[in-house]
Amino acid sequence: MSEAAPATVRELIEAQAERRADHLYALAVDNPGGADARLSYRELARGCRRVADVLQAHGAGPGDTVSVVMPNGLQTLRVLLGAMHGGLCVNPVNLLSQPDQMRYVLDHSDCRVVCVAPEWEARVREQLASLDRQVSLLVVDPDGAAMPGEGAADTQANSMGDTPAPRPDAVALLMYTSGTTGVPKGVMLTQRNLAANALAISAEHALGPADRVLAVLPLYHINAFTVTMLAPMAEGGSLAMPPKFSAGRFWEQAALAGCSWINLVPTMISYLLEGAVPPAGQTSRIRFCRSASAALPPEHHRAFEQKFGIGIVETMGLTETAAPSFSNPLEAALRKLGSVGRASGCEACVLDASLGPVADGTTGELAIRGPNVMRGYYKNEEATRASFTADGWLRTGDLGHRDADGFFFVTGRIKELIIKGGENIAPREIDEALMQHPAVLEAAAVGIPDRHYGQEIGVCVVLRDGMACGEDELRDFAQQALGRYKSPGRYRFVTDLPRGPSGKVQRLKLAPLFE
C-alpha cells in the first residue's frame, strides 16, 4: 500500500524532516548580516514548533489569523511556515499596498497577531491604533537568527502532540487580491489547497532533491508563496533567497547558490533582456526558467531563450487557485509559444456568456475546477457565489480559448475587452503586434470612449532606451500588422506602465491618459 500524499503544510514539512533531516531547505544569499545563513529540514521543522509557541504566547489560537508585514528573509519563511504548521492562518500583507489598503487588510482579516519587520513597525502601529480591537504586535527581523521570545521555548519538551495537527480543510492562507477594481478581497486557501498545488507544481516541473530555485519574488505574492516556498518541499528540494531581485546580480547569485531553475515574472524577464549576457558558467546549471503571473510577450520569450540559452516554461494561475493552474510541458519540443499551457493539477474549460462550454478554438471565459481552488472570499459570500458556476467551476475573468491539443491561450480580461463598433478586440493582440517594432519595448492597449464606435483603441508605448520612433511611423506599422480597423486610433508615449503587485499591467489605469 502506497503512502498517502501530504494533505497539509505540516505534513509536507515533517515528511522531509524525517526523510532528509540534514538536507538544505533554504539558503539566504547576500545576507545583510554577512555570511550566508542556512536552514535544513530538521531545523525548519524544529523552528516551526518554536514559532507556533511564540505566536500562541502572543494570543493566537488554532484557526486565528496572523498577519505578516515583512520582506523576504529566512525569518519570514519561518514565520509563514511555522504559523501554518501550528494550525494558524497566515495573512502576508503586500508591502506595496497604499496605507489605506494595508489598514483595510489588517482590519478585515481579523488578525490576532501581526509580525512586522523593524522598518515597518511605526507605520503598522499607527494603523493598528485605529482599529476597534486589540492586536498583538511582534517585531521580527527578517534576517535575524530567531524570533523574539523563541529562546524561552523548551523545544525538547515541545512535541507535536502539544499542538493539534491542522485539518486539511482548515484555512491556512488568507491572501488579499490587489484591489485594482475595488476593495481587496481576501482569498481563503486551505491546507489541502496548498499541499495539493505544491505536489502538482513539483510533478509538473520534475523537481527533485537536488533542485534549487532562486527565490527573487516577494513572499507576499501567491507565486512566491506556493512555487518557491512550498513546491520544493514536495521532493526535498531547496531555495536560495536574496533580499530582493537585482537584474545586475541575478545570474551571479543563481550561479553562486547552485540554482537549477529560476522562477520569474515577465517584468523581470524584460529587465534581464536589457542586461549583458552572463558568462556561460553562470547559466550552465539552470535547466529551465518558469514564467508566470502575467502574459509573456512571445518576442520576449524568443529573445530570452536565444540570449541566455535557457528554455522558458510559461504558466498561469490565480491567487484563487493557489497560483499555477496551467503549465506548458517541461519538454521544450512540446511547448507552444504564446500559450499558458495545459491544465495542471486541475481541470479547465472555456465558457460562453451563459456559462455553457464552447468548442475548441472559440473565445470565452476560462474556468477552473480542482483541489487547488479556494474555499471562497473571506466575509464576502456575494463575491464567492458570483465567482462559481452552479456545478463548481471557478470563473477566472480571463478571456481565451483552448486548441485541439488542450493548450489554453489567454487574450485578455473580460473587464479589459475592447468593444469597437460591436466587435470584440483583445488588447493583447494589439500589444503583441506593436511590440514587433524594433523600437518598442512594451505596449498596452485599452478601450477609450468614442461617440461613433462606442470604444476606440488607445495604446501606451514604452520605447527602448536610445531608440526613437514617431507616432506616424507606428501608425503605419500597426496598419500593416493589424489592418485599419484594429489599429489604435490614439497613441501615448510613456516611460513605464502601471502594474499591480504580481506584475500585470493595470490597463484600466491607462484610460485617463487619453482624456
Side-chain angles (χ1 to χ4, degrees):
M1 183 175 177
S2 61
E3 185 180 347
T8 67
V9 173
R10 178 188 281 199
E11 289 175 7
L12 280 172
I13 295 168
E14 293 297 333
Q16 297 306 330
E18 182 177 343
R19 294 174 193 156
R20 301 178 177 88
D22 296 319
H23 196 89
L24 181 71
Y25 165 63
L27 169 70
V29 298
D30 288 349
N31 189 19
D36 291 347
R38 305 169 69 88
L39 189 64
S40 70
Y41 275 102
R42 175 190 285 117
E43 291 165 337
L44 174 64
R46 184 183 299 146
C48 282
R49 297 175 202 133
R50 287 178 167 177
V51 167
D53 279 353
V54 171
L55 295 173
Q56 184 176 359
H58 281 77
D64 284 342
T65 296
V66 175
S67 293
V68 180
V69 187
M70 298 172 63
N72 283 6
L74 290 195
Q75 283 306 312
T76 310
L77 281 175
R78 291 175 83 248
V79 169
L80 295 171
L81 294 170
M84 293 188 292
H85 185 284
L88 300 169
C89 170
V90 291
N91 164 227
V93 178
N94 192 319
L95 300 185
L96 300 181
S97 300
Q98 295 297 316
D100 58 337
Q101 279 198 334
M102 184 176 289
R103 185 195 177 282
Y104 174 86
V105 167
L106 293 173
D107 184 18
H108 188 268
S109 66
D110 297 318
C111 59
R112 295 292 301 274
V113 177
V114 177
C115 294
V116 60
E119 66 269 24
W120 284 88
E121 179 185 0
R123 281 169 283 186
V124 172
R125 281 195 186 278
E126 183 178 350
Q127 291 171 332
L128 293 178
S130 64
L131 303 186
D132 59 3
R133 70 178 193 279
Q134 287 294 112
V135 180
S136 179
L137 191 70
L138 186 58
V139 181
V140 183
D141 181 355
D143 303 302
M147 286 184 71
E150 223 181 294
D154 183 358
T155 55
Q156 296 301 320
N158 177 28
S159 69
M160 282 177 54
D162 294 336
T163 303
R167 303 184 317 274
D169 62 351
V171 178
L173 173 62
L174 180 61
M175 185 166 279
Y176 282 76
T177 60
S178 58
T180 56
T181 57
V183 296
K185 296 193 293 288
V187 176
M188 294 185 291
L189 292 165
T190 66
Q191 294 268 352
R192 181 182 282 112
N193 291 152
L194 299 176
N197 232 23
L199 296 169
I201 295 162
S202 179
E204 188 71 61
H205 299 326
L207 300 180
D211 280 309
R212 181 170 301 159
V213 60
L214 188 63
V216 292
L217 298 172
L219 290 167
Y220 51 76
H221 288 172
I222 192 66
N223 187 333
F225 194 98
T226 58
V227 178
T228 56
M229 183 174 76
L230 294 180
M233 292 182 185
E235 296 296 335
S238 57
L239 60 93
M241 179 174 287
K244 60 182 179 180
F245 171 72
S246 167
R249 299 226 43 224
F250 181 84
W251 298 113
E252 181 185 5
Q253 289 171 340
L256 291 175
C259 293
S260 61
W261 62 291
I262 52 180
N263 183 35
L264 301 172
V265 296
T267 305
M268 293 175 173
I269 288 174
S270 177
Y271 287 144
L272 291 172
L273 281 172
E274 294 295 297
V277 177
Q282 292 186 357
T283 58
S284 58
R285 285 199 56 184
I286 299 175
R287 60 188 183 91
F288 70 94
C289 168
R290 184 183 178 281
S291 176
S293 297
L296 178 65
E299 51 276 7
H300 286 185
H301 192 142
R302 285 188 289 262
F304 185 93
E305 293 187 340
Q306 182 178 3
K307 183 170 185 173
F308 302 116
I310 299 170
I312 292 180
V313 177
E314 188 168 4
T315 69
M316 193 193 87
L318 311 168
T319 304
E320 289 85 346
T321 62
S325 297
F326 301 92
S327 180
N328 270 274
L330 192 58
E331 187 177 344
L334 300 179
R335 300 175 199 147
K336 291 197 177 186
L337 195 68
S339 169
V340 296
R342 298 178 294 215
S344 177
C346 60
E347 301 174 82
C349 69
V350 183
L351 304 175
D352 61 20
S354 60
L355 303 184
V358 303
D360 287 345
T362 304
T363 296
E365 181 180 7
L366 273 61
I368 299 167
R369 184 168 64 186
N372 57 333
V373 175
M374 69 170 181
R375 173 182 289 184
Y377 296 112
Y378 186 55
K379 297 191 298 190
N380 196 336
E381 293 183 9
E382 181 180 354
T384 300
R385 284 194 301 270
S387 295
F388 287 92
T389 66
D391 51 351
W393 289 94
L394 173 71
R395 302 178 60 186
T396 67
D398 286 304
L399 286 172
H401 65 273
R402 180 180 60 195
D403 70 9
D405 298 322
F407 283 74
F408 288 78
F409 294 78
V410 178
T411 52
R413 297 283 295 170
I414 289 176
K415 293 179 180 178
E416 296 173 347
L417 187 68
I418 301 169
I419 306 176
K420 179 181 178 180
E423 181 177 350
N424 293 345
I425 300 172
R428 189 177 176 187
E429 180 182 0
I430 313 299
D431 302 350
E432 292 181 357
L434 286 172
M435 288 172 67
Q436 296 295 322
H437 192 286
V440 176
L441 176 64
E442 293 184 300
V446 63
I448 54 178
D450 183 88
R451 65 190 183 94
H452 297 295
Y453 290 104
Q455 282 190 316
E456 177 57 274
I457 303 168
V459 65
C460 289
V461 175
V462 180
L463 296 178
R464 295 184 182 277
D465 287 343
M467 299 194 73
C469 178
E471 182 175 323
D472 290 343
E473 181 180 342
L474 273 188
R475 282 186 184 278
D476 291 342
F477 183 85
Q479 288 189 16
Q480 290 292 325
L482 294 162
R484 186 174 297 276
Y485 196 78
K486 288 187 177 181
S487 293
R490 299 178 65 184
Y491 291 77
R492 291 289 183 272
F493 291 91
V494 297
T495 56
D496 54 29
L497 299 172
R499 299 182 186 275
S502 64
K504 294 179 183 178
V505 174
Q506 298 175 314
R507 294 182 191 273
L508 300 182
K509 289 188 174 182
L510 298 173
L513 297 180
F514 297 90
E515 293 177 354

